[in-house]
Amino acid sequence: FTADRQTKSLSSVLPFYQGVHGERGGSKNCYGANGACVYVKVPLGTLVKEDGEVVADLTQHGEEYVAAYGGAGGKGNRFFLSNENRAPTLFTPGEPGQDRVLYLELKTTAHAGLVGFPNAGKSSLLRAISRARPAVAAYPFTTLNPHVGIVHYQDYEQVAVADIPGLIKGAHQNRGLGMAFLRHIERCHFLLYVVDLSVSQPWTQLQDLKYELEQYKKGLSERPCVVIGNKIDLAESRINLPLLKEQVQDQVIALSALRGDNLEELFLHLRELYDAYVKTEQSQRRSPVKW
């Protein structure tokens, strides 16, 4: 398996692969050619499991994992030549290659993750800040799979933002599609909490979201973040905005994904989070994920 940044899903992976056979040896002590390697491209963030155990975690572009080794070649009659046997006819056949059953699981890799309850406006926001086109509709759970959009900056830096499908209360107990959604947040280096400013007491959404993340994996809710108050174009939202800022300690950005209001402030803070992530990775002598 080869991690490839151009591959975005596991849909192209076939259920069965077979290696290429090697060739027989020839006359005049010629070796047979080895079987050609079969490479399977998988997206960044792919976990390879065998019998429920993780055997590989492919997170860097170009990273490889040998899923199965080919069998050893056989020995030709030249190997059995001796003073007692000047014209041997013995030989040994090549051995079969490895046969393995592996399970692939994708945890979306992105710099930032949009986290929020259904209908908070995450998909609309991703459409507003990138060229990604997730489905948008006026009912919950429009998004059933993560979508990754790329935010471009003038210095050619690119920040990947993942639209994580909406969580619900009890997601850490696998209610709804909780585990299927939560696992993608693990790969995000910083979070963008999207709350609906038009509902009563919007700060409770943030509290519930952080609780679900922390119950799923300790420390997940403590990652660098920004709180996005969406739907500021509504009258109820303008009333709730100062109340939200009083209740939370994190940076709050009020915007309208539908109308595109105040997206510049989001771009600014998103870049600050990205630069801080890159600086941290470099200080620890690790390579930051690039898109």
Side-chain angles (χ1 to χ4, degrees):
F1 296 114
T2 302
D4 178 55
R5 66 164 61 99
Q6 302 300 325
T7 304
K8 301 305 180 184
S9 75
L10 294 172
S11 60
S12 61
V13 178
L14 302 177
F16 176 79
Y17 286 92
Q18 182 175 356
V20 180
H21 291 297
E23 297 179 3
R24 293 175 177 270
S27 59
K28 298 183 180 179
N29 203 27
C30 291
Y31 287 87
N34 290 330
C37 294
V38 175
Y39 290 93
V40 180
K41 292 183 179 181
V42 295
L44 303 184
T46 298
L47 289 177
V48 183
K49 294 183 177 181
E50 185 175 29
D51 297 328
E53 298 292 329
V54 177
V55 295
D57 187 359
L58 306 175
T59 59
Q60 299 290 334
H61 177 70
E63 192 173 0
E64 294 182 353
Y65 173 70
V66 180
Y69 288 93
K75 297 179 175 63
N77 59 347
R78 178 82 177 187
F79 179 82
F80 298 96
L81 179 65
S82 66
N83 289 333
E84 292 76 21
N85 188 0
R86 304 306 300 172
T89 58
L90 296 176
F91 67 93
T92 59
E95 297 178 0
Q98 261 185 310
D99 186 3
R100 298 176 72 184
V101 177
L102 300 172
Y103 176 78
L104 300 184
E105 178 182 316
L106 176 60
K107 292 185 177 181
T108 303
T109 298
H111 298 119
L114 293 172
V115 184
F117 288 119
N119 263 18
K122 301 182 300 298
S123 296
S124 297
L125 181 58
L126 188 65
R127 291 170 70 100
I129 65 177
S130 72
R131 294 179 181 176
R133 289 295 176 263
V136 174
Y139 55 84
F141 296 107
T142 310
T143 304
L144 295 178
N145 294 293
H147 294 270
V148 178
I150 307 300
V151 179
H152 298 267
Y153 287 90
Q154 291 184 348
D155 60 353
Y156 303 106
E157 284 287 4
Q158 300 180 104
V159 180
V161 180
D163 173 16
I164 309 299
L167 303 176
I168 63 172
K169 289 186 179 180
H172 71 279
Q173 298 172 337
N174 209 24
R175 291 181 183 173
L177 291 174
M179 295 302 186
F181 294 168
L182 283 165
R183 72 168 186 254
H184 296 286
I185 303 175
E186 286 186 69
R187 301 293 179 143
C188 298
H189 302 286
F190 41 91
L191 304 177
L192 306 177
Y193 293 101
V194 183
V195 299
D196 185 351
L197 279 176
S198 65
V199 303
S200 177
Q201 298 182 339
W203 52 89
T204 60
Q205 297 179 45
L206 181 62
Q207 296 169 357
D208 292 338
L209 287 170
K210 288 192 173 185
Y211 175 79
E212 293 299 328
L213 297 187
E214 194 63 24
Q215 292 300 308
Y216 174 70
K217 183 177 181 181
K218 188 173 180 60
L220 194 55
S221 66
E222 299 174 1
R223 293 189 180 178
C225 69
V226 164
V227 178
I228 298 172
N230 193 21
K231 306 182 183 180
I232 193 59
D233 51 305
L234 302 178
E236 302 90 337
S237 300
R238 290 190 286 272
I239 297 173
N240 288 330
L241 177 59
L243 301 177
L244 174 64
K245 290 184 176 181
E246 290 177 2
Q247 293 290 331
V248 303
Q249 297 179 347
D250 301 311
Q251 174 75 33
V252 177
I253 301 174
L255 54 79
S256 171
L258 180 64
R259 292 172 35 175
D261 297 344
N262 204 30
L263 292 179
E264 294 80 5
E265 186 177 357
L266 174 59
F267 288 134
L268 175 63
H269 286 284
L270 182 62
R271 182 58 189 268
E272 290 177 354
L273 289 170
Y274 173 75
D275 290 341
Y277 154 70
V278 171
K279 186 176 181 180
T280 300
E281 292 295 291
Q282 292 176 343
S283 66
Q284 298 178 2
R285 298 184 177 181
R286 296 197 298 255
S287 297
V289 175
K290 295 285 186 178
W291 284 76

